[in-house]
Amino acid sequence: MSSLRSKQDPCEPTGGSWLMTTLSLPIVRRRLTQLSAHLVVAVVALVVIGGATRVMEAGLACPDWPLCYGTLLPGKQMNAQVFLEWFHRLDAFIVGMALLVQAIVSVVWRRLLPRWMPWLSLALVGMVALQGGLGALTVLQLLPSGIVTAHLVLALTLVALLSGLTQRLQQSVGVPAPLWWRGLSLLAMVAVIGQSLLGARMATTWSAQRCLSGGGACQWVSLHRTTAMPVAGVVLVFVVVALLAGGWARRQWPLLAFVSALVLGQVALGITTFRLGLSQPYVTISHQLLAALLVAVLAALAARCPDQPPVHTPVVVDGTTLETCHG
């Protein structure tokens, strides 16, 4: 028995290790993990609401900033478009306040947290402040394509950082993931963000509508369609390599299967969007939702590392100390 334990795969967590690790975390770290997980959901929602605002042509529904028609809650002007833009700003404000709380807690209780936690928390506050500035410029400069695209890319970067942060906070101990795991997962995540950037550029320049209606301005459409399959291929290669590698990597199959489903769904939605001539806004919004979820899951996988199991010392029995047993 002892010899078998001594040969245990060093990347294999022992039974119930995730639960034991979670319970052994300091209370401050557990609360920050919960806050970070909620922030991932909030920022994904922020990306989707922002996409819905663009698709429904509600980006300028509130003509001023940061108020909407000069008030915190417009009443007489409220309609579906105004509500989308107003709720988008509300969600962004809540995310900013939550990140500020996270940063304050991380600095005050930094001795109970990893050294990188306060610095990353402060960087996230700076990023969300920059995001707010880009949102203001989006309204004040009447939806310029470059700023709207940068606004989306920064939002997806926030999704990736918060998802990776949540994953790291959940693990108190661990060994580094294999180099190929980190490389392929990060490559897949960057490829998805790049593809989202092309999609945003295509949408904010109205290239798809002009291309489908008159055959002009098709360069962004062609580029987005041409790169879609290679990006999907990069993600699926990561999944296949992980499953073939076995061991700890294969045990991540639930998330790997989820990634595969998201990629296939994303390709199907992209094809459906063009076949419908961009006439169904819910399909386009779903397309952006899957992209944000894909970034979040890939970031979590990139930050995940094998649990460090307890070290089992084999029991060595010295036969010279045993006496003959007569029974």
Side-chain angles (χ1 to χ4, degrees):
M1 174 72 78
S2 60
S3 62
L4 290 176
R5 288 184 176 179
S6 64
K7 295 180 181 179
Q8 183 179 8
D9 183 357
C11 290
E12 182 178 356
T14 57
S17 62
W18 180 85
L19 179 60
M20 293 176 63
T21 300
T22 303
L23 294 177
S24 64
L25 295 177
I27 184 66
V28 173
R29 185 163 176 169
R30 293 209 305 270
R31 292 292 180 264
L32 285 177
T33 302
Q34 295 169 354
L35 175 60
S36 182
H38 284 87
L39 279 169
V40 174
V41 177
V43 178
V44 169
L46 190 62
V47 172
V48 175
I49 296 169
T53 302
R54 177 187 55 78
V55 171
M56 301 299 292
E57 300 182 7
L60 297 177
C62 294
D64 49 348
W65 191 93
L67 300 177
C68 186
Y69 289 98
T71 181
L72 291 174
L73 179 61
K76 296 180 180 180
Q77 300 85 358
M78 185 63 76
N79 55 35
Q81 290 181 316
V82 173
F83 176 79
L84 276 174
E85 175 64 10
W86 172 81
F87 191 73
H88 183 62
R89 296 183 187 183
L90 177 64
D91 191 10
F93 176 77
I94 293 173
V95 168
M97 291 298 100
L99 284 173
L100 184 60
V101 170
Q102 183 185 69
I104 293 173
V105 173
S106 299
V107 171
V108 173
W109 279 279
R110 58 187 177 277
R111 293 185 178 181
L112 301 176
L113 300 168
R115 294 181 179 179
W116 47 262
M117 181 64 190
W119 298 104
L120 181 56
S121 298
L122 292 172
L124 289 171
V125 172
M127 290 178 65
V128 80
L130 176 60
Q131 184 76 331
L134 289 174
L137 290 175
T138 298
V139 175
L140 299 178
Q141 295 191 9
L142 306 180
L143 306 178
S145 175
I147 294 178
V148 174
T149 302
H151 194 56
L152 173 63
V153 172
L154 187 55
L156 291 176
T157 304
L158 281 169
V159 170
L161 289 175
L162 283 168
S163 181
L165 170 64
T166 303
Q167 184 62 48
R168 280 299 174 90
L169 286 176
Q170 287 178 347
Q171 297 181 287
S172 59
V173 293
V175 295
L179 183 60
W180 65 264
W181 173 275
R182 287 175 285 169
L184 284 178
S185 57
L186 287 174
L187 177 62
M189 184 187 71
V190 171
V192 172
I193 293 177
Q195 182 70 2
S196 299
L197 186 152
L198 291 176
R201 188 67 174 174
M202 179 187 69
T204 55
T205 56
W206 302 100
S207 298
Q209 288 83 350
R210 288 187 290 165
C211 182
L212 292 174
S213 60
C218 292
Q219 64 272 18
W220 287 111
V221 178
S222 299
L223 184 59
H224 185 65
R225 295 177 65 177
T226 302
T227 56
M229 296 312 296
V231 169
V234 169
V235 178
L236 293 178
V237 164
F238 164 61
V239 172
V240 171
V241 171
L243 293 176
L244 292 177
W248 170 81
R250 183 179 295 172
R251 286 193 294 275
Q252 312 311 309
W253 68 265
L255 282 181
L256 294 172
F258 188 40
V259 165
S260 302
L262 288 174
V263 169
L264 296 178
Q266 190 74 328
V267 172
L269 285 174
I271 295 173
T272 304
T273 299
F274 279 101
R275 287 189 173 180
L276 293 176
L278 304 177
S279 61
Q280 298 297 324
Y282 295 111
V283 177
T284 305
I285 295 169
S286 300
H287 193 54
Q288 192 156 343
L289 169 61
L290 292 194
L293 289 176
L294 197 52
V295 169
V297 178
L298 287 171
L301 287 170
R304 179 166 289 195
C305 58
D307 295 327
Q308 179 66 58
V311 177
H312 297 282
T313 304
V315 178
V316 179
V317 180
D318 188 358
T320 60
T321 61
L322 298 179
E323 296 181 358
T324 304
C325 178
H326 299 280

